[in-house]
Amino acid sequence: MSENFYDVLGVSRDASEEEIKKAYRKQAAKHHPDVSDDDDAEERFKKIQKAKEVLTDEQKRQQYDQLGHDRFTEADKRGATGGGGPGGAGGPFGGAGGAGGAGGFEDIFNQFFGGGRGGGGGGGNRPRQGQDLRTGLTIDLEEAFEGATKEVTLTRPTECDTCDGAGHPPDADVETCPQCNGRGQVQQVQQTPLGRVQQTSTCPRCEGEGELYSEDCADCGGDGVVREEATLSVEIPAGIRSGQSLRMEREGAPGENGGPKGDLLIEVDVDVGDRFQRDGDDLRVNEAVSFPQAVFGDTIEVETVDGSVEMDVPAGTQSGETFRLKGKGMPRLRRRGRGDLYVQVGVVIPEELNEEQREALEAFAEAGGEDVDVGGGFFEKLKSSF
């Protein structure tokens, strides 16, 4: 069985991308043909490069883990000869390519113009904005109604203070990268179905910096980035709904080559609670009324998000009937006005009646020609109707 890519770099199968890049730099510095006297140094260095290429590409790594080392490398070889790579179909251009597949027009453009992940095409050292980060925050309905200032705590990558993001101590010895001669890029000539083409890509030894340093920063291991816990204050606007996100600019991951930080996206979840149901800016609530209130009408108090209000229940109200209280719902996000509150009334039938109540209801039933026999008469109909 061939040595797998994780063993080549000396990392575990659950290693992060940062750990893989760090391991690659150490292995490349040790086994590069320019510095190693081993007979198989060149072959070993090619394996190290291939391992890093696959394991730092999310789609290729997923395919590698699913197929296994031998099946993945066989499929990769077929893709290189026009037979279709992992996830791609055959054909003179390496296949149409699927989700996560190799080949297709992307490969042809990469061969001509040096595209693909990790730079190339003359832009290996250009400033790049850092990645956006995501986190979640749960608030209650009252906070969503009024707006609030909340704190979020997250662990995020940040520029190493010890080396100011350089990845090496200030007094480290520096030399020009011998592989790219300080350009940060290397060129390769490939034979393609369209002829010989020249491809420019980021130098794998110095990773585009053009320089090599005698030692890495002890705190960040040469990455220039460390992970730290940060607590941030975020303003929650009134009327926000579950699933909506707030953006905090420049609170994301550090940029590369002097580029700006990314943003932090906070996805909000509003815990509505047990009393209300929310439908956009509108709220719904259930209120109980007694049989006499439904029959004769009454004024009841309804508890809203911001206090109680009075609501008229007309005489003859039916159980399940819904009334609208205009402007008593949630604030409209970054707009004027509020939604409505819909109140559904339910008529409550008492479980037990005293003698006076029973006689009164029996008289009511008889006046209407209702059967008041126990078991299937007036009272059973009354209960079932509500």
Side-chain angles (χ1 to χ4, degrees), residues 166-190:
H168 55 82
D171 56 353
D173 295 333
V174 59
E175 64 172 322
T176 300
C177 176
Q179 185 167 348
C180 65
N181 293 322
R183 292 189 300 269
Q185 296 174 332
V186 292
Q187 295 179 338
Q188 293 177 320
V189 177
Q190 291 182 306

Side-chain angles (χ1 to χ4, degrees), residues 74-127:
E74 289 174 3
D76 193 42
K77 289 177 182 177
R78 289 198 301 272
T81 57
F93 297 108
F105 291 107
E106 180 181 0
D107 287 346
I108 296 297
F109 278 102
N110 288 349
Q111 289 171 354
F112 274 106
F113 303 111
R117 291 179 177 85
N125 286 322
R126 69 181 185 274

Side-chain angles (χ1 to χ4, degrees), residues 1-5 64 67-74:
M1 183 175 179
S2 303
E3 184 181 20
N4 69 59
F5 291 153
Y64 181 77
L67 296 175
H69 181 81
D70 293 335
R71 290 178 61 191
F72 179 92
T73 51
E74 289 174 3

Side-chain angles (χ1 to χ4, degrees), residues 25 85 135 259 271 309 313 322:
R25 285 195 292 268
T135 190
D271 182 3
V309 296
V313 178
T322 300

Side-chain angles (χ1 to χ4, degrees), residues 303-319:
E303 193 70 30
T304 70
V305 183
D306 61 337
S308 59
V309 296
E310 291 186 343
M311 185 186 81
D312 291 331
V313 178
T317 293
Q318 303 298 305
S319 189

Side-chain angles (χ1 to χ4, degrees), residues 56-263:
T56 55
D57 184 304
E58 183 178 352
Q59 293 177 342
K60 288 183 179 180
R61 183 175 180 178
Q62 184 178 8
Q63 292 173 350
Y64 181 77
D65 291 339
Q66 290 174 345
L67 296 175
H69 181 81
D70 293 335
R71 290 178 61 191
F72 179 92
T73 51
E74 289 174 3
D76 193 42
K77 289 177 182 177
R78 289 198 301 272
T81 57
F93 297 108
F105 291 107
E106 180 181 0
D107 287 346
I108 296 297
F109 278 102
N110 288 349
Q111 289 171 354
F112 274 106
F113 303 111
R117 291 179 177 85
N125 286 322
R126 69 181 185 274
R128 288 188 292 270
Q129 181 171 324
Q131 290 185 338
D132 291 341
L133 303 180
R134 291 183 176 272
T135 190
L137 175 66
T138 300
I139 61 175
D140 58 37
L141 188 63
E142 288 72 19
E143 290 171 324
F145 179 86
E146 297 175 356
T149 300
K150 302 285 288 185
E151 289 188 342
V152 292
T153 300
L154 71 156
T155 301
R156 63 179 179 178
T158 187
E159 186 178 274
C160 177
D161 289 334
T162 304
C163 63
D164 292 329
H168 55 82
D171 56 353
D173 295 333
V174 59
E175 64 172 322
T176 300
C177 176
Q179 185 167 348
C180 65
N181 293 322
R183 292 189 300 269
Q185 296 174 332
V186 292
Q187 295 179 338
Q188 293 177 320
V189 177
Q190 291 182 306
Q191 187 69 40
T192 74
L194 303 179
R196 289 169 59 87
V197 296
Q198 182 173 282
Q199 179 181 11
T200 301
S201 60
T202 301
C203 176
R205 186 170 183 187
C206 66
E207 295 191 330
E209 292 190 14
E211 297 176 331
L212 299 175
Y213 299 90
S214 59
E215 59 180 310
D216 291 336
C217 172
D219 289 344
C220 66
D223 292 331
V225 173
V226 295
R227 298 185 69 82
E228 69 171 9
E229 186 177 275
T231 299
L232 306 172
S233 292
V234 56
E235 296 294 329
I236 307 295
I240 196 166
R241 307 178 192 175
S242 287
Q244 293 182 319
S245 295
L246 301 173
R247 180 181 293 271
M248 298 186 72
E249 294 185 352
R250 302 296 179 256
E251 294 291 353
E256 298 181 30
N257 300 321
K261 291 183 178 180
D263 298 336

